[in-house]
């Protein structure tokens, strides 16, 4: 089939295209339905770039999934079509008031050549929660997962087979109401795009403070951090002191870059604490965060042994507020043995330097990947599950 | 000239279109330059709708202004072209991380038939500040204002001549970097669209609390308010109590809908206080807010007399925190005589009912427009200036 022009290829602008629906004969808006899928494949697939040349999020695959929603027709027939621009009205809420939500997921090729997703139902649940929060339409989570699997199979040749590499998946829902009055968007477009991804990026150093409220994509402070030689922002939230001192403030660590945070602390009994901030509404309920906690607990209970971690070493997970003053104290006592961010993009990323009050807290590891024993063990375990080499519960979901 | 197709009509997707620049011969990126304007007018202008049929932000005029930025070429040649969809890459930051900013302005036709803007340099300054905050490119404010005036003259027939009606102007800058890595957008598109606007909307009732942080376009609570019979959200910010009681919280009124808030309070000396929250970073520095304060002060100093307001009645402006408990107290003492929101869209909008703790605070006015004497006087004064009937400083700027 030919590559469609951008105008006809996408009905975003008018928001009324509803491929196979019955129009006025229809009594209730259509659910998102994977069986209605329209396949519209490229004539000339793009060449696959060498994995070594990849930069995260830069290259997209041949195809994308697009579905439109309006309150009368419901969800349109989903379409897998050539990757290309969407046609968007300039008054559209996605450009004005930005009721837009997205997820980050990954597909992996295992030694058996099969494409797999990692705990994808968690991403579907979170996307549905995000959509509800900005009053975007509901969608059938199973149907979307089926469609994503189908899209991955269409572009399966794009999944790098090199260890550590993967195919990054970006499901996105945007509001398309083209009226400048401030209201929730009752029309929407759901699309999924794919980008081949490099392994864990190394982050040599991370700084600094940004207090008061987590603006998830405040893009100014990032430039400031880069200009000072740091890669990412360590996001802090100024809150009332929990110690009981009235009126006193404390700075809680929330996320690093767009990742959840873990600090590994030496205990007096020789074992380790894995401390991560609790899900109190100020941080992302990360899939990798929840997986890290579950795997540490499985190691401690003896159900698994994390690669390279002694089976007798216990890892006590602690979901508790982590303030900068507490971190500083643990650091000065020599108890901070590892610090890392966890997230879908990087899985586990070492934080080796934290700029704070004009000084640098150094948590350097001598290993080639910059990770310590615990970070490395969890990374190995997760990548083993993701590629189907290791079985753990039902975390790895084949696309076939 | 023909209406261009959406793909060729907009270079948003590739972000490199730079109409008249010299390409490689160019040494530094181009500034935004009004002299480079390309005019690309519609063949068949749309019919002008009857003013009475208008809904805010629904109908757009025949043309829009579009300019693209990339760090190599700088700003492209600005183009006034037929209103139509933009071609946007699905990985574009405007759909993903939303570094998008906008302004709201209005053009008016006076009895002399001339099109005028109201304090437009304030909007240019604020747009530049907003852009800097999300790390979008700088632009020449005078050049943009020149281009906006030109666009308004092209679509001048769209400005309703009926009293109170106007042409709403929405300058917007969106980030167009099409890479999923979280970074500031180094490419952007600036566009301006126009929509004929009805006069002050009447808001019969307004509620309620949304604490902790101002999410300017949190679109969920609005649905909740509507389901309870209210039109808009009264946004509250939970802060530490300023009265000195440690650990005690208070709820500060910040904005209503997307408007700044004024409450008119009877003083013991028979004069009035006009209380509005201070510009402490949590509220929009509104042009209508600043104009309301300036006009009230000019009335009190005797420089002007607000229509319908006795010249001997003094209006004392008070930029100070306004908490719900303070409002409740003033209300129960019978001292709240008017409550209104101010903003570019509605100018002055009466708030006649505030749902609070299961009760309604009623601030009803018997006048046809729902406004009290002060709100009405300020509205009359501002609309007089906007249409060129009344001169006040250099607030009214002709487009010619």
């Amino acid at each position: 089939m030919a590559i469609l022009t951008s105008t006809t290829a996408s009905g975003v602008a008018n928001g009324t295209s509803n491929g196979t629906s019955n129009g006025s004969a229809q009594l209730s808006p259509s659910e998102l339905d994977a069986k209605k899928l329209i396949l519209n494949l490229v004539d000339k697939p793009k060449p696959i770039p060498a994995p070594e040349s990849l930069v995260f999020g830069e290259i997209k695959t041949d195809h994308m999934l697009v579905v439109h929603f309006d309150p009368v027709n419901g969800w349109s027939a989903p379409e897998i079509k050539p990757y290309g621009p969407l046609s968007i009205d300039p008054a559209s809420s996605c450009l004005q008031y930005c009721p837009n939500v997205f997820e980050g997921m990954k597909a992996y090729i295992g030694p058996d050549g099969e494409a797999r997703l990692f705990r994808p139902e968690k991403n579907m649940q979170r996307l549905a929660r995000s959509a509800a929060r900005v009053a975007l339409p509901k969608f059938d989570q199973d149907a979307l997962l089926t469609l994503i699997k189908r899209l991955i199979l269409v572009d399966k040749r794009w999944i790098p087979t090199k260890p550590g590499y993967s195919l990054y998946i970006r499901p996105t829902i945007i509001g398309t109401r083209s009226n400048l009055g401030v209201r929730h968007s009752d029309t929407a477009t759901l699309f999924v795009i794919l980008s081949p991804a490099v392994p864990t990026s190394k982050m040599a150093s991370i700084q600094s403070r940004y207090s008061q409220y987590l603006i998830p994509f405040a893009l100014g402070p990032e430039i400031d951090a880069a200009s000072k030689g740091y890669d990412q922002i360590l996001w802090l939230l100024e809150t009332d002191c929990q110690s009981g001192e009235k009126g006193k403030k404390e700075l809680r660590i929330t996320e690093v870059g767009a990742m959840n945070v873990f600090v590994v602390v030496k205990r007096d009994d020789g074992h380790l604490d894995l401390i991560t901030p609790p899900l109190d509404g100020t941080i992302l309920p990360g899939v990798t965060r929840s997986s890290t906690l579950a795997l540490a607990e499985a190691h401690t209970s003896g159900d698994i042994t994390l690669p390279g971690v002694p089976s007798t070493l216990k890892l006590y997970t602690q979901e508790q507020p982590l303030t900068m003053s507490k971190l500083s104290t643990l650091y000065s006592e020599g108890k901070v043995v590892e610090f890392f961010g966890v997230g879908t993009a990087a899985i586990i990323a070492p934080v080796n330097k934290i700029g704070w009050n004009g000084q640098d807290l150094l948590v350097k590891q001598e290993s080639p990947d910059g990770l310590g024993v615990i970070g490395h063990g969890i990374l190995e375990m997760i990548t083993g599950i993701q590629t189907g080499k290791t079985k753990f519960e039902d975390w790895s979901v084949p696309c076939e």
Side-chain angles (χ1 to χ4, degrees), chain A:
Chain A
M1 250 178 258
I3 294 181
L4 301 178
T5 70
S6 75
T7 310
T8 54
S10 133
V12 180
N14 55 41
T16 55
S17 74
N18 196 338
T20 59
S21 80
N22 298 319
S24 59
Q26 203 173 348
L27 289 176
S28 64
S30 297
E31 297 288 325
L32 180 61
D33 186 350
K35 291 192 297 295
K36 290 184 186 167
L37 177 66
I38 299 166
L39 266 183
N40 181 5
L41 304 183
V42 293
D43 276 337
K44 289 195 181 170
K46 292 183 261 188
I48 305 283
E52 299 74 21
S53 70
L54 293 172
V55 172
F56 178 78
E58 182 73 39
I59 304 285
K60 289 86 183 185
T61 65
D62 288 313
H63 298 93
M64 62 182 182
L65 171 76
V66 181
V67 206
H68 305 290
F69 178 89
D70 72 79
V72 175
N73 297 299
W75 289 101
S76 71
E79 189 179 6
I80 289 178
K81 62 200 290 187
Y83 183 93
L86 302 168
S87 175
I88 296 183
D89 190 283
S92 228
S93 53
C94 58
L95 305 180
Q96 298 291 340
Y97 311 123
C98 302
N100 307 337
V101 298
F102 66 82
E103 267 301 314
M105 311 166 65
K106 279 181 170 178
Y108 309 85
I109 289 277
D112 59 359
E114 200 162 2
R116 286 186 176 78
L117 292 162
F118 183 70
R119 310 183 80 186
E121 71 287 351
K122 292 240 167 214
N123 298 95
M124 297 300 101
Q125 289 160 10
R126 195 170 55 184
L127 185 63
R129 277 204 307 275
S130 300
R133 212 156 155 177
V134 294
L136 284 172
K138 284 192 175 66
F139 60 91
D140 183 309
Q141 297 179 29
D142 291 337
L144 180 56
L145 184 51
T146 301
L147 290 163
I148 289 173
K149 287 177 182 172
R150 191 66 192 276
L151 177 65
I152 290 163
L153 291 180
V154 166
D155 277 346
K156 189 179 166 187
R157 70 187 190 98
W158 282 88
I159 312 179
T161 52
K162 239 185 133 163
Y165 288 73
S166 61
L167 186 67
Y168 184 78
I169 306 158
R170 173 60 62 95
T172 308
I173 313 177
I174 60 174
T176 56
R177 180 170 179 267
S178 64
N179 180 308
L180 296 174
V182 179
R183 291 277 180 286
H184 74 282
S185 182
D186 54 359
T187 62
T189 291
L190 187 164
F191 61 85
V192 182
I193 57 177
L194 308 174
S195 175
V198 296
T200 314
S201 68
K202 276 183 212 165
M203 293 187 294
S205 54
I206 293 190
Q207 99 141 4
S208 167
R209 61 171 289 179
Y210 192 80
S211 67
Q212 194 61 22
Y213 186 76
L214 277 177
I215 303 167
F217 298 104
L219 297 169
E222 158 242 331
I223 296 173
D224 180 53
S227 73
K228 292 180 178 137
Y230 299 91
D231 300 321
Q232 295 284 345
I233 307 283
L234 186 64
W235 299 94
L236 306 181
L237 180 66
E238 191 179 75
T239 60
D240 291 328
C241 200
Q242 296 303 296
S243 64
E245 288 176 79
K246 277 195 177 171
K248 208 182 157 194
K249 297 289 184 187
E250 59 185 23
L251 292 167
R252 289 196 195 177
I253 294 171
T254 56
E255 296 180 8
V256 60
M259 289 176 290
N260 291 121
V261 163
F262 277 85
V263 57
V264 182
V265 175
K266 210 184 292 172
R267 294 160 55 107
D268 294 337
D269 64 6
H271 296 292
L272 299 172
D273 279 332
L274 252 73
I275 306 175
T276 194
L279 298 180
D280 58 2
T282 65
I283 63 168
L284 185 83
V287 177
T288 314
R289 176 188 179 279
S290 122
S291 304
T292 299
L293 289 169
L295 292 175
E297 283 158 16
H299 175 91
T300 301
S301 68
D303 291 345
I304 60 166
T305 301
L306 291 171
V309 180
S311 61
T312 52
L313 183 66
K314 296 201 184 299
L315 310 173
Y316 296 99
T317 59
Q318 312 279 2
E319 294 182 75
Q320 57 181 236
L322 180 63
T323 62
M324 277 311 294
S325 67
K326 182 172 171 182
L327 180 68
S328 295
T329 305
L330 290 168
Y331 179 78
S332 62
E333 294 170 352
K335 289 182 177 169
V336 176
V337 291
E338 295 181 37
F339 196 112
F340 50 83
V342 309
T344 294
I347 308 179
I348 312 282
V351 177
N352 291 331
K353 190 168 86 174
I354 299 170
W356 177 245
N357 280 345
Q359 293 197 310
D360 284 329
L361 312 192
L362 299 171
V363 199
K364 266 204 139 55
Q365 307 292 334
E366 298 308 321
S367 67
D369 61 4
L371 286 168
V373 172
I374 305 306
H376 191 78
I378 289 167
L379 175 64
E380 284 284 296
M381 190 71 194
I382 289 180
T383 52
I385 298 166
Q386 286 171 336
T387 53
K389 275 183 284 191
T390 311
K391 171 121 185 86
F392 186 80
E393 297 183 356
D394 55 356
W395 285 11
S396 187
V397 176
C399 291
E400 303 282 354

